[in-house]
Amino acid sequence: MRTAGAGEHVGAGVTVIVPTFNERDNVAELVARTAAALAGREAEILFIDDSSDDTAAEVARVAADAPIPVRVIHRAENSGGLGGAVVTGLGAAASDVCIVMDGDLQHPPELLPALLDRHAAGDADLVAASRYIGGGDTSGLGTAVRFGVSRAATWLTRAMFPIRLARSTDPMTGFFLVDRSRLDLDALQPRGFKVLLEILARTDLRIAEVPMEFAERRHGSSKASLRQGWTFLAHLARLRFGKMSLFALIGLIGAVANLAIMWALTVAGVPYVWAAIIGAEITIVGNFLLQERFVFADMRTDARGLGIRFATSFTFNNVEAALRIPVMALMVESWHISSVLATALSLIVAFFARFLFHSLVVYAPQRRRKTAAVASEPKPDTAAQRVIRAIDVEAMKPGEL
């Protein structure tokens, strides 16, 4: 039996890569459950350890009696965080078929066969375990705040990569299978936790998903922090700064144009309210035309028709503009902050809302290539869809009067 060592390759049909940081108490159970899930398959477990405790020593102890080969590579320098550890594991894996999973047991090892079986269908290079399709579950996230942060991060990510992530409901998951032979490892530049996002954003791999019930953490504490949140946002900006920056630049040009139009009209004797309305409407139309040309040009082919795109964008921007001022006034009255600060906050929120809406709704891909892979994939069954169905069922019940 090969045990933990200096990273010597062991022949394997699949390598399970487990990045760890102070997960000593989870090692024995993870190895036992992983080995049981992969019984009868050629497999190895490769730990990439950045711990400051004796996790590496615990892996070596467990490896001595493990039913499948277990190795550990302890990194002296935590380069690239968890994402960097995953890339190190991909480079050291004995198999091209690699499965990445966390070491905290929130990713159930019992799902490993489902990932392998889905990949064996031959129509996907990457199979992700998703919390947000039918059969998936997010209860392991714990609090409503963590769930909200997770969903908001997912929405923002999908908005920034609407084409690359069109087939992904959970690009933030850390549990996935990938065919290493389809990757250029030197091109990956991971930062922090979200290595799957890095892979999806920099490649055009064929994606499939299986549902995952995200479990509660057994031992240790979550590595998520405010610092990790900033790292994620910075990484997201590096991956897709161009589209959002152009959107912001056009918004800035529109704001200046709006003020100029309003000034010219008031000088010409038009009442300021009508001048503001006319300036806003002209700016909305102008922004749409510039976005069509410079921001979302690569998405127009698969999106709905020009007329529908314009009507949807025009309606949303008008509703957003009508709501923003009352919301700003409410912040001033309720939070007792200055009107300037309230205006700034409302404009920041409005910017992200407009970007999300245009990316996910106005320019959402409508026509997909009719491939066997698409035909064989079940349609995502999201939490929102389940809620809508439940409401529909209740609404259709006979009245009690």
Side-chain angles (χ1 to χ4, degrees):
M1 178 71 66
R2 306 288 182 93
T3 59
E8 179 185 358
H9 282 193
V10 181
V14 58
T15 296
V16 178
I17 299 170
V18 186
T20 51
F21 181 77
N22 297 345
E23 300 286 359
R24 176 189 57 199
D25 294 336
N26 295 319
V27 169
E29 182 179 352
L30 187 146
V31 169
R33 288 172 60 183
T34 298
L38 297 176
R41 300 176 188 259
E42 190 178 4
E44 69 161 346
I45 305 174
L46 173 58
F47 287 86
I48 308 298
D49 184 55
D50 293 327
S51 299
S52 57
D53 64 3
D54 57 350
T55 296
E58 175 67 4
V59 173
R61 184 191 70 78
V62 171
D65 298 319
I68 62 175
V70 177
R71 295 187 289 141
V72 62
I73 297 175
H74 180 75
R75 300 197 305 169
E77 182 180 351
N78 184 351
S79 176
L82 183 144
V86 170
V87 173
T88 297
L90 289 170
S95 172
D96 280 336
V97 178
C98 298
I99 297 179
V100 178
M101 64 184 294
D102 288 349
D104 56 13
L105 295 173
Q106 290 191 285
H107 297 157
E110 291 73 20
L111 195 60
L112 292 169
L115 293 169
L116 289 166
D117 292 344
R118 182 63 188 86
H119 176 255
D123 58 358
D125 308 307
L126 187 149
V127 183
S130 173
R131 296 163 289 184
Y132 303 121
I133 60 173
D137 181 70
T138 60
S139 59
L141 286 171
T143 67
V145 172
R146 284 193 66 194
F147 173 79
V149 169
S150 175
R151 287 304 273 163
T154 298
W155 289 331
L156 179 60
T157 303
R158 294 187 67 200
M160 295 184 77
F161 299 93
I163 295 177
R164 287 287 173 88
L165 302 183
R167 296 283 298 159
S168 173
T169 64
D170 194 0
M172 317 300 287
T173 182
F175 194 7
F176 60 92
L177 177 152
V178 65
D179 182 349
R180 181 182 60 180
S181 67
R182 300 278 290 138
L183 292 176
D184 178 4
L185 296 183
D186 293 333
L188 299 179
Q189 302 172 28
R191 296 289 186 275
F193 281 24
K194 307 306 179 184
V195 67
L196 178 60
L197 171 61
E198 171 81 13
I199 292 172
L200 295 178
R202 296 190 186 276
T203 68
D204 56 356
L205 299 184
R206 297 172 300 168
I207 259 184
E209 294 183 329
V210 297
M212 170 181 63
E213 293 185 8
F214 194 63
E216 295 183 2
R217 168 179 282 273
R218 295 293 189 89
H219 304 285
S221 58
S222 172
K223 310 304 185 296
S225 64
L226 188 60
R227 180 180 178 182
Q228 285 294 337
W230 282 115
T231 299
F232 161 68
L233 291 176
H235 187 205
L236 196 60
R238 279 192 293 266
L239 286 171
R240 176 59 100 182
F241 192 70
K243 191 176 288 290
M244 182 175 276
S245 64
L246 283 174
F247 191 89
L249 179 60
I250 289 172
L252 179 62
I253 293 172
V256 173
N258 192 348
L259 292 174
I261 293 169
M262 185 177 176
W263 173 81
L265 290 174
T266 54
V267 169
V270 177
Y272 75 91
V273 173
W274 283 106
I277 293 173
I278 293 171
E281 298 306 315
I282 292 175
T283 301
I284 287 172
V285 174
N287 282 1
F288 174 79
L289 295 175
L290 291 174
Q291 291 160 9
E292 278 273 302
R293 175 65 180 83
F294 296 107
V295 181
F296 299 108
D298 59 336
M299 299 172 63
R300 291 181 303 184
T301 302
D302 293 327
R304 291 173 291 185
L306 175 62
I308 296 177
R309 295 200 301 272
F310 174 76
T312 307
S313 175
F314 187 82
T315 301
F316 178 84
N317 280 297
N318 275 282
V319 171
E320 178 271 321
L323 290 176
R324 184 163 21 96
I325 293 178
V327 169
M328 178 195 68
L330 181 63
M331 285 193 293
V332 172
E333 295 297 326
S334 301
W335 297 355
H336 305 293
I337 60 177
S338 72
S339 59
V340 173
L341 179 58
T343 300
L345 290 174
S346 67
L347 287 174
I348 291 171
V349 172
F351 166 74
F352 282 104
R354 287 195 300 269
F355 182 76
L356 286 168
F357 184 82
H358 281 76
S359 222
L360 294 178
V361 179
V362 177
Y363 294 93
Q366 296 297 305
R367 296 189 295 274
R368 303 280 176 79
R369 293 180 179 178
K370 303 296 184 179
T371 62
V374 173
S376 64
E377 279 291 304
K379 294 182 179 180
D381 184 16
T382 66
Q385 290 170 334
R386 293 195 293 272
V387 169
I388 291 172
R389 284 201 303 271
I391 293 173
D392 183 62
V393 169
E394 292 299 319
M396 295 303 293
K397 284 183 178 179
E400 296 178 358
L401 297 178

PDB file of all heavy atoms in Angstrom, residues 132-135 147 151 155 158 169 209 378-393:
ATOM      1  N   TYR A 132     -28.278  23.973  -6.244  1.00  0.00           N
ATOM      2  CA  TYR A 132     -29.418  24.757  -6.710  1.00  0.00           C
ATOM      3  C   TYR A 132     -30.198  24.121  -7.848  1.00  0.00           C
ATOM      4  O   TYR A 132     -30.944  24.801  -8.549  1.00  0.00           O
ATOM      5  CB  TYR A 132     -28.935  26.155  -7.131  1.00  0.00           C
ATOM      6  CG  TYR A 132     -28.215  26.886  -6.029  1.00  0.00           C
ATOM      7  CD1 TYR A 132     -26.908  27.320  -6.194  1.00  0.00           C
ATOM      8  CD2 TYR A 132     -28.835  27.122  -4.810  1.00  0.00           C
ATOM      9  CE1 TYR A 132     -26.240  27.984  -5.174  1.00  0.00           C
ATOM     10  CE2 TYR A 132     -28.175  27.777  -3.781  1.00  0.00           C
ATOM     11  CZ  TYR A 132     -26.877  28.208  -3.968  1.00  0.00           C
ATOM     12  OH  TYR A 132     -26.223  28.854  -2.955  1.00  0.00           O
ATOM     13  N   ILE A 133     -30.054  22.821  -8.081  1.00  0.00           N
ATOM     14  CA  ILE A 133     -30.912  22.130  -9.038  1.00  0.00           C
ATOM     15  C   ILE A 133     -31.755  21.115  -8.276  1.00  0.00           C
ATOM     16  O   ILE A 133     -31.565  20.904  -7.085  1.00  0.00           O
ATOM     17  CB  ILE A 133     -30.102  21.436 -10.163  1.00  0.00           C
ATOM     18  CG1 ILE A 133     -29.140  20.391  -9.584  1.00  0.00           C
ATOM     19  CG2 ILE A 133     -29.354  22.445 -10.994  1.00  0.00           C
ATOM     20  CD1 ILE A 133     -28.440  19.564 -10.647  1.00  0.00           C
ATOM     21  N   GLY A 134     -32.714  20.517  -8.966  1.00  0.00           N
ATOM     22  CA  GLY A 134     -33.635  19.592  -8.322  1.00  0.00           C
ATOM     23  C   GLY A 134     -32.925  18.502  -7.556  1.00  0.00           C
ATOM     24  O   GLY A 134     -32.049  17.823  -8.087  1.00  0.00           O
ATOM     25  N   GLY A 135     -33.283  18.348  -6.287  1.00  0.00           N
ATOM     26  CA  GLY A 135     -32.634  17.376  -5.417  1.00  0.00           C
ATOM     27  C   GLY A 135     -31.507  17.968  -4.613  1.00  0.00           C
ATOM     28  O   GLY A 135     -31.009  17.348  -3.674  1.00  0.00           O
ATOM     29  N   PHE A 147     -26.770  31.976   3.475  1.00  0.00           N
ATOM     30  CA  PHE A 147     -27.496  31.581   2.269  1.00  0.00           C
ATOM     31  C   PHE A 147     -27.658  32.775   1.333  1.00  0.00           C
ATOM     32  O   PHE A 147     -27.437  32.674   0.126  1.00  0.00           O
ATOM     33  CB  PHE A 147     -28.875  31.022   2.639  1.00  0.00           C
ATOM     34  CG  PHE A 147     -29.745  30.739   1.447  1.00  0.00           C
ATOM     35  CD1 PHE A 147     -29.562  29.597   0.683  1.00  0.00           C
ATOM     36  CD2 PHE A 147     -30.743  31.630   1.076  1.00  0.00           C
ATOM     37  CE1 PHE A 147     -30.355  29.342  -0.431  1.00  0.00           C
ATOM     38  CE2 PHE A 147     -31.549  31.386  -0.028  1.00  0.00           C
ATOM     39  CZ  PHE A 147     -31.355  30.240  -0.781  1.00  0.00           C
ATOM     40  N   ARG A 151     -26.161  33.123  -2.451  1.00  0.00           N
ATOM     41  CA  ARG A 151     -27.007  33.335  -3.626  1.00  0.00           C
ATOM     42  C   ARG A 151     -26.640  34.636  -4.339  1.00  0.00           C
ATOM     43  O   ARG A 151     -26.582  34.687  -5.573  1.00  0.00           O
ATOM     44  CB  ARG A 151     -28.478  33.355  -3.218  1.00  0.00           C
ATOM     45  CG  ARG A 151     -29.040  32.008  -2.853  1.00  0.00           C
ATOM     46  CD  ARG A 151     -28.872  31.005  -3.961  1.00  0.00           C
ATOM     47  NE  ARG A 151     -29.958  31.042  -4.916  1.00  0.00           N
ATOM     48  CZ  ARG A 151     -29.910  30.519  -6.141  1.00  0.00           C
ATOM     49  NH1 ARG A 151     -28.787  29.963  -6.569  1.00  0.00           N
ATOM     50  NH2 ARG A 151     -30.932  30.574  -6.941  1.00  0.00           N
ATOM     51  N   TRP A 155     -25.461  34.956  -8.209  1.00  0.00           N
ATOM     52  CA  TRP A 155     -26.128  35.816  -9.196  1.00  0.00           C
ATOM     53  C   TRP A 155     -25.142  36.795  -9.830  1.00  0.00           C
ATOM     54  O   TRP A 155     -25.150  36.999 -11.048  1.00  0.00           O
ATOM     55  CB  TRP A 155     -27.283  36.573  -8.546  1.00  0.00           C
ATOM     56  CG  TRP A 155     -28.458  35.724  -8.204  1.00  0.00           C
ATOM     57  CD1 TRP A 155     -28.867  34.582  -8.829  1.00  0.00           C
ATOM     58  CD2 TRP A 155     -29.389  35.935  -7.133  1.00  0.00           C
ATOM     59  NE1 TRP A 155     -29.982  34.065  -8.215  1.00  0.00           N
ATOM     60  CE2 TRP A 155     -30.320  34.878  -7.178  1.00  0.00           C
ATOM     61  CE3 TRP A 155     -29.508  36.914  -6.148  1.00  0.00           C
ATOM     62  CZ2 TRP A 155     -31.384  34.782  -6.270  1.00  0.00           C
ATOM     63  CZ3 TRP A 155     -30.561  36.822  -5.249  1.00  0.00           C
ATOM     64  CH2 TRP A 155     -31.487  35.761  -5.318  1.00  0.00           C
ATOM     65  N   ARG A 158     -22.819  34.890 -12.244  1.00  0.00           N
ATOM     66  CA  ARG A 158     -23.477  34.499 -13.488  1.00  0.00           C
ATOM     67  C   ARG A 158     -23.768  35.722 -14.360  1.00  0.00           C
ATOM     68  O   ARG A 158     -23.763  35.635 -15.588  1.00  0.00           O
ATOM     69  CB  ARG A 158     -24.769  33.746 -13.187  1.00  0.00           C
ATOM     70  CG  ARG A 158     -24.539  32.397 -12.494  1.00  0.00           C
ATOM     71  CD  ARG A 158     -25.820  31.615 -12.373  1.00  0.00           C
ATOM     72  NE  ARG A 158     -26.305  31.203 -13.677  1.00  0.00           N
ATOM     73  CZ  ARG A 158     -27.563  30.843 -13.919  1.00  0.00           C
ATOM     74  NH1 ARG A 158     -28.454  30.876 -12.941  1.00  0.00           N
ATOM     75  NH2 ARG A 158     -27.927  30.461 -15.122  1.00  0.00           N
ATOM     76  N   THR A 169     -25.591  26.277 -12.680  1.00  0.00           N
ATOM     77  CA  THR A 169     -26.470  26.880 -11.674  1.00  0.00           C
ATOM     78  C   THR A 169     -25.719  27.186 -10.387  1.00  0.00           C
ATOM     79  O   THR A 169     -26.197  27.954  -9.561  1.00  0.00           O
ATOM     80  CB  THR A 169     -27.639  25.937 -11.327  1.00  0.00           C
ATOM     81  OG1 THR A 169     -27.122  24.738 -10.726  1.00  0.00           O
ATOM     82  CG2 THR A 169     -28.441  25.575 -12.568  1.00  0.00           C
ATOM     83  N   GLU A 209     -24.214  18.844 -14.458  1.00  0.00           N
ATOM     84  CA  GLU A 209     -24.403  18.994 -13.016  1.00  0.00           C
ATOM     85  C   GLU A 209     -25.171  17.823 -12.438  1.00  0.00           C
ATOM     86  O   GLU A 209     -25.982  17.208 -13.134  1.00  0.00           O
ATOM     87  CB  GLU A 209     -25.149  20.301 -12.695  1.00  0.00           C
ATOM     88  CG  GLU A 209     -24.367  21.552 -13.037  1.00  0.00           C
ATOM     89  CD  GLU A 209     -25.105  22.825 -12.644  1.00  0.00           C
ATOM     90  OE1 GLU A 209     -26.366  22.817 -12.671  1.00  0.00           O
ATOM     91  OE2 GLU A 209     -24.442  23.820 -12.308  1.00  0.00           O
ATOM     92  N   PRO A 378     -31.384  17.157 -17.595  1.00  0.00           N
ATOM     93  CA  PRO A 378     -32.644  17.591 -16.991  1.00  0.00           C
ATOM     94  C   PRO A 378     -32.638  19.092 -16.789  1.00  0.00           C
ATOM     95  O   PRO A 378     -31.604  19.689 -16.539  1.00  0.00           O
ATOM     96  CB  PRO A 378     -32.649  16.864 -15.635  1.00  0.00           C
ATOM     97  CG  PRO A 378     -31.212  16.638 -15.342  1.00  0.00           C
ATOM     98  CD  PRO A 378     -30.537  16.408 -16.672  1.00  0.00           C
ATOM     99  N   LYS A 379     -33.803  19.719 -16.925  1.00  0.00           N
ATOM    100  CA  LYS A 379     -33.907  21.148 -16.702  1.00  0.00           C
ATOM    101  C   LYS A 379     -33.698  21.449 -15.215  1.00  0.00           C
ATOM    102  O   LYS A 379     -34.200  20.732 -14.357  1.00  0.00           O
ATOM    103  CB  LYS A 379     -35.273  21.666 -17.156  1.00  0.00           C
ATOM    104  CG  LYS A 379     -35.485  21.571 -18.660  1.00  0.00           C
ATOM    105  CD  LYS A 379     -36.837  22.146 -19.045  1.00  0.00           C
ATOM    106  CE  LYS A 379     -37.046  22.085 -20.551  1.00  0.00           C
ATOM    107  NZ  LYS A 379     -38.359  22.633 -20.961  1.00  0.00           N
ATOM    108  N   PRO A 380     -32.930  22.531 -14.914  1.00  0.00           N
ATOM    109  CA  PRO A 380     -32.717  22.876 -13.507  1.00  0.00           C
ATOM    110  C   PRO A 380     -34.034  23.093 -12.771  1.00  0.00           C
ATOM    111  O   PRO A 380     -34.954  23.704 -13.288  1.00  0.00           O
ATOM    112  CB  PRO A 380     -31.907  24.183 -13.602  1.00  0.00           C
ATOM    113  CG  PRO A 380     -31.273  24.153 -14.951  1.00  0.00           C
ATOM    114  CD  PRO A 380     -32.247  23.437 -15.827  1.00  0.00           C
ATOM    115  N   ASP A 381     -34.105  22.536 -11.578  1.00  0.00           N
ATOM    116  CA  ASP A 381     -35.292  22.710 -10.736  1.00  0.00           C
ATOM    117  C   ASP A 381     -34.858  23.538  -9.538  1.00  0.00           C
ATOM    118  O   ASP A 381     -34.382  23.015  -8.545  1.00  0.00           O
ATOM    119  CB  ASP A 381     -35.812  21.336 -10.300  1.00  0.00           C
ATOM    120  CG  ASP A 381     -37.099  21.458  -9.500  1.00  0.00           C
ATOM    121  OD1 ASP A 381     -37.731  22.530  -9.546  1.00  0.00           O
ATOM    122  OD2 ASP A 381     -37.466  20.482  -8.813  1.00  0.00           O
ATOM    123  N   THR A 382     -34.966  24.852  -9.671  1.00  0.00           N
ATOM    124  CA  THR A 382     -34.434  25.742  -8.663  1.00  0.00           C
ATOM    125  C   THR A 382     -35.393  25.913  -7.500  1.00  0.00           C
ATOM    126  O   THR A 382     -36.574  25.566  -7.589  1.00  0.00           O
ATOM    127  CB  THR A 382     -34.135  27.122  -9.268  1.00  0.00           C
ATOM    128  OG1 THR A 382     -35.390  27.708  -9.667  1.00  0.00           O
ATOM    129  CG2 THR A 382     -33.237  27.006 -10.476  1.00  0.00           C
ATOM    130  N   ALA A 383     -34.872  26.490  -6.411  1.00  0.00           N
ATOM    131  CA  ALA A 383     -35.701  26.747  -5.235  1.00  0.00           C
ATOM    132  C   ALA A 383     -36.847  27.692  -5.588  1.00  0.00           C
ATOM    133  O   ALA A 383     -37.980  27.512  -5.133  1.00  0.00           O
ATOM    134  CB  ALA A 383     -34.844  27.340  -4.121  1.00  0.00           C
ATOM    135  N   ALA A 384     -36.554  28.702  -6.425  1.00  0.00           N
ATOM    136  CA  ALA A 384     -37.601  29.649  -6.820  1.00  0.00           C
ATOM    137  C   ALA A 384     -38.723  28.945  -7.573  1.00  0.00           C
ATOM    138  O   ALA A 384     -39.912  29.221  -7.364  1.00  0.00           O
ATOM    139  CB  ALA A 384     -37.001  30.760  -7.679  1.00  0.00           C
ATOM    140  N   GLN A 385     -38.350  28.010  -8.451  1.00  0.00           N
ATOM    141  CA  GLN A 385     -39.366  27.276  -9.203  1.00  0.00           C
ATOM    142  C   GLN A 385     -40.214  26.409  -8.287  1.00  0.00           C
ATOM    143  O   GLN A 385     -41.423  26.285  -8.475  1.00  0.00           O
ATOM    144  CB  GLN A 385     -38.692  26.421 -10.286  1.00  0.00           C
ATOM    145  CG  GLN A 385     -38.106  27.247 -11.421  1.00  0.00           C
ATOM    146  CD  GLN A 385     -37.256  26.414 -12.347  1.00  0.00           C
ATOM    147  OE1 GLN A 385     -36.700  25.392 -11.945  1.00  0.00           O
ATOM    148  NE2 GLN A 385     -37.143  26.833 -13.590  1.00  0.00           N
ATOM    149  N   ARG A 386     -39.574  25.827  -7.258  1.00  0.00           N
ATOM    150  CA  ARG A 386     -40.327  24.986  -6.332  1.00  0.00           C
ATOM    151  C   ARG A 386     -41.305  25.829  -5.527  1.00  0.00           C
ATOM    152  O   ARG A 386     -42.427  25.402  -5.244  1.00  0.00           O
ATOM    153  CB  ARG A 386     -39.367  24.230  -5.410  1.00  0.00           C
ATOM    154  CG  ARG A 386     -38.524  23.191  -6.137  1.00  0.00           C
ATOM    155  CD  ARG A 386     -37.870  22.215  -5.157  1.00  0.00           C
ATOM    156  NE  ARG A 386     -36.875  22.854  -4.328  1.00  0.00           N
ATOM    157  CZ  ARG A 386     -35.598  22.988  -4.666  1.00  0.00           C
ATOM    158  NH1 ARG A 386     -35.170  22.543  -5.820  1.00  0.00           N
ATOM    159  NH2 ARG A 386     -34.742  23.561  -3.837  1.00  0.00           N
ATOM    160  N   VAL A 387     -40.882  27.048  -5.143  1.00  0.00           N
ATOM    161  CA  VAL A 387     -41.768  27.945  -4.410  1.00  0.00           C
ATOM    162  C   VAL A 387     -42.961  28.337  -5.279  1.00  0.00           C
ATOM    163  O   VAL A 387     -44.113  28.350  -4.835  1.00  0.00           O
ATOM    164  CB  VAL A 387     -41.004  29.201  -3.938  1.00  0.00           C
ATOM    165  CG1 VAL A 387     -41.972  30.247  -3.406  1.00  0.00           C
ATOM    166  CG2 VAL A 387     -39.986  28.833  -2.870  1.00  0.00           C
ATOM    167  N   ILE A 388     -42.676  28.657  -6.550  1.00  0.00           N
ATOM    168  CA  ILE A 388     -43.746  29.046  -7.472  1.00  0.00           C
ATOM    169  C   ILE A 388     -44.746  27.912  -7.647  1.00  0.00           C
ATOM    170  O   ILE A 388     -45.965  28.114  -7.656  1.00  0.00           O
ATOM    171  CB  ILE A 388     -43.152  29.465  -8.828  1.00  0.00           C
ATOM    172  CG1 ILE A 388     -42.396  30.793  -8.674  1.00  0.00           C
ATOM    173  CG2 ILE A 388     -44.253  29.609  -9.885  1.00  0.00           C
ATOM    174  CD1 ILE A 388     -41.614  31.199  -9.898  1.00  0.00           C
ATOM    175  N   ARG A 389     -44.234  26.687  -7.772  1.00  0.00           N
ATOM    176  CA  ARG A 389     -45.135  25.535  -7.930  1.00  0.00           C
ATOM    177  C   ARG A 389     -45.995  25.357  -6.685  1.00  0.00           C
ATOM    178  O   ARG A 389     -47.185  25.053  -6.780  1.00  0.00           O
ATOM    179  CB  ARG A 389     -44.332  24.265  -8.217  1.00  0.00           C
ATOM    180  CG  ARG A 389     -43.810  24.164  -9.631  1.00  0.00           C
ATOM    181  CD  ARG A 389     -43.488  22.716  -9.995  1.00  0.00           C
ATOM    182  NE  ARG A 389     -42.539  22.135  -9.065  1.00  0.00           N
ATOM    183  CZ  ARG A 389     -41.225  22.194  -9.224  1.00  0.00           C
ATOM    184  NH1 ARG A 389     -40.726  22.823 -10.264  1.00  0.00           N
ATOM    185  NH2 ARG A 389     -40.412  21.644  -8.356  1.00  0.00           N
ATOM    186  N   ALA A 390     -45.389  25.540  -5.514  1.00  0.00           N
ATOM    187  CA  ALA A 390     -46.145  25.384  -4.267  1.00  0.00           C
ATOM    188  C   ALA A 390     -47.256  26.427  -4.177  1.00  0.00           C
ATOM    189  O   ALA A 390     -48.385  26.128  -3.771  1.00  0.00           O
ATOM    190  CB  ALA A 390     -45.207  25.496  -3.068  1.00  0.00           C
ATOM    191  N   ILE A 391     -46.927  27.670  -4.559  1.00  0.00           N
ATOM    192  CA  ILE A 391     -47.944  28.725  -4.552  1.00  0.00           C
ATOM    193  C   ILE A 391     -49.061  28.390  -5.527  1.00  0.00           C
ATOM    194  O   ILE A 391     -50.248  28.574  -5.240  1.00  0.00           O
ATOM    195  CB  ILE A 391     -47.299  30.073  -4.898  1.00  0.00           C
ATOM    196  CG1 ILE A 391     -46.334  30.503  -3.792  1.00  0.00           C
ATOM    197  CG2 ILE A 391     -48.359  31.150  -5.106  1.00  0.00           C
ATOM    198  CD1 ILE A 391     -45.527  31.732  -4.124  1.00  0.00           C
ATOM    199  N   ASP A 392     -48.684  27.874  -6.690  1.00  0.00           N
ATOM    200  CA  ASP A 392     -49.666  27.513  -7.708  1.00  0.00           C
ATOM    201  C   ASP A 392     -50.612  26.430  -7.203  1.00  0.00           C
ATOM    202  O   ASP A 392     -51.823  26.461  -7.423  1.00  0.00           O
ATOM    203  CB  ASP A 392     -48.964  27.058  -8.992  1.00  0.00           C
ATOM    204  CG  ASP A 392     -49.941  26.747 -10.106  1.00  0.00           C
ATOM    205  OD1 ASP A 392     -50.660  27.670 -10.530  1.00  0.00           O
ATOM    206  OD2 ASP A 392     -50.001  25.596 -10.540  1.00  0.00           O
ATOM    207  N   VAL A 393     -50.039  25.425  -6.515  1.00  0.00           N
ATOM    208  CA  VAL A 393     -50.861  24.349  -5.975  1.00  0.00           C
ATOM    209  C   VAL A 393     -51.867  24.900  -4.974  1.00  0.00           C
ATOM    210  O   VAL A 393     -53.059  24.547  -4.983  1.00  0.00           O
ATOM    211  CB  VAL A 393     -49.959  23.272  -5.304  1.00  0.00           C
ATOM    212  CG1 VAL A 393     -50.814  22.293  -4.506  1.00  0.00           C
ATOM    213  CG2 VAL A 393     -49.172  22.528  -6.363  1.00  0.00           C
TER     214      VAL A 393
END
